[in-house]
Amino acid sequence: MSETRDAGRPGPGGAKAAGAAEEAPLSRLLRLMATLRDPVAGCPWDVAQSFATIVPYTIEEAYEVADAVARGDLRDLRDELGDLLLQVVFHARMAEEQGAFAFDDVARAIGDKLVRRHPHVFTPDGTPLPAGSPLRDPAQVEAQWAAIKAQERAARQKERQEERQEARQEARQDTGAAPDPAPDLLGGVARALPALARAEKISRRAAAYGFDWDEAAQVVDKVREETDEVAEALAAGDPQALSEEIGDLLFSVANLARHAGIDPETALRDGTAKFERRFAAMARHLAASGGALGRSDLAAMEAAWQAAKRDEAGGGP
């Protein structure tokens, strides 16, 4: 568990005074975070943090939310969502201290984005459309969503290019500044995402420009091609080439998952869980026959592994 988990939970001294008017939960959370970050009266650990040092906890909490969902534990999900919300509040507080933005700006921005990205649900001012509105046609929703996101990316890219241009002009007074770099057509996908998830998103961006296979079967052929190239690099004994080819193979697999409508992170997570489950069952089969992991040969472990697979398929004794 991250240290920020306890940071947002008041101790005995933070309890509401008897008879005091109840404070709105979000207002209370924002107030507690401001106190924790106070250079004089706050927590030394919280005061010492920065955006960079908090990011690992933010990522960790997002994964713990996903884990609670996977386990179907709604009580735990409530707590994990609170921990994730604390991360948002923490980042917003640090930004407010720098005069950049505050929590209300974060909430307002996502509210505006929801309205902008759902023209089939809201009018531009956020008023819900009537249930019978023709704009609610499901066939148009996905196309609208993709078009709106593309417009947003283009606007962000233009804004960032202008910011870079202004920064260069401020840093250099001469007229020999280098031209703007080529536009980042696949930009905007967070580099901190898990590699498989980012590969899927990048390939989806490329597909939006028409650079894609027509069907999943063609991607399967690409996976086979990349597997052959991995084998060639392995035989050549070139570690750098092998790493590159394995990267190509994994990227192709992420493309295959996208074409099949499968989330690659979920598929890999489920595949890993299945391996864990079968590995434990294999150990039990070995123990039942007087063996043990670490003392059994590969043939015995393979036999126990196949037995574990049969059990899982309902074909056990």
Side-chain angles (χ1 to χ4, degrees), residues 186-232:
L186 300 178
V189 180
R191 295 185 179 276
L193 276 176
L196 271 179
R198 189 166 191 272
E200 192 272 344
K201 284 184 173 291
I202 288 289
S203 69
R204 189 179 296 276
R205 289 280 177 87
Y209 292 100
F211 190 71
D212 198 11
W213 290 273
D214 293 328
E215 55 186 23
Q218 294 173 313
V219 194
V220 172
D221 291 338
K222 182 62 176 177
V223 170
R224 292 194 180 105
E225 175 189 327
E226 296 296 350
T227 302
D228 291 341
E229 292 181 2
V230 167
E232 291 171 7

Side-chain angles (χ1 to χ4, degrees), residues 26-201:
L26 185 54
S27 297
R28 177 172 179 261
L29 178 58
L30 294 171
R31 175 178 58 79
L32 292 173
M33 190 72 253
T35 301
L36 288 168
R37 286 282 299 177
D38 187 285
V40 177
C43 168
W45 187 90
D46 290 280
V47 171
Q49 302 313 303
S50 67
F51 295 115
T53 61
I54 287 298
V55 160
Y57 299 111
T58 307
I59 295 171
E60 176 188 343
E61 298 300 355
Y63 277 118
E64 291 185 359
V65 167
D67 181 65
V69 170
R71 290 184 284 104
D73 189 336
L74 294 183
R75 181 182 179 85
D76 202 16
L77 177 60
R78 179 200 64 187
D79 291 343
E80 298 299 349
L81 287 172
D83 293 338
L84 186 57
L85 175 59
L86 173 60
Q87 297 300 308
V88 177
V89 169
F90 207 137
H91 282 282
R93 179 61 198 176
M94 290 187 290
E96 184 175 4
E97 292 166 359
Q98 296 181 20
F101 59 83
F103 182 86
D104 281 353
D105 299 307
V106 174
R108 185 179 301 107
I110 188 59
D112 291 345
K113 183 183 290 187
L114 287 174
V115 171
R116 185 172 61 249
R117 289 188 175 182
H118 295 81
H120 52 289
V121 178
F122 303 107
T123 63
D125 66 358
T127 303
L129 290 169
S133 170
L135 294 176
R136 291 181 180 272
D137 179 8
Q140 299 182 23
V141 170
E142 186 172 353
Q144 286 179 337
W145 180 269
I148 292 167
K149 290 187 71 175
Q151 292 169 1
E152 290 175 350
R153 286 196 300 271
R156 283 199 303 270
Q157 181 178 307
K158 180 180 179 181
E159 182 179 344
R160 288 168 182 165
Q161 287 177 336
E162 291 173 350
E163 289 174 352
R164 287 196 296 267
Q165 181 65 29
E166 289 176 3
R168 281 198 298 270
Q169 290 174 348
E170 291 176 1
R172 299 176 60 183
Q173 299 302 317
D174 62 307
T175 58
D180 282 340
D184 187 3
L185 299 176
L186 300 178
V189 180
R191 295 185 179 276
L193 276 176
L196 271 179
R198 189 166 191 272
E200 192 272 344
K201 284 184 173 291

Side-chain angles (χ1 to χ4, degrees), residues 266-277:
T266 300
L268 179 57
R269 189 179 302 115
D270 291 347
T272 302
K274 180 169 66 176
F275 178 86
E276 291 176 302
R277 188 170 62 246

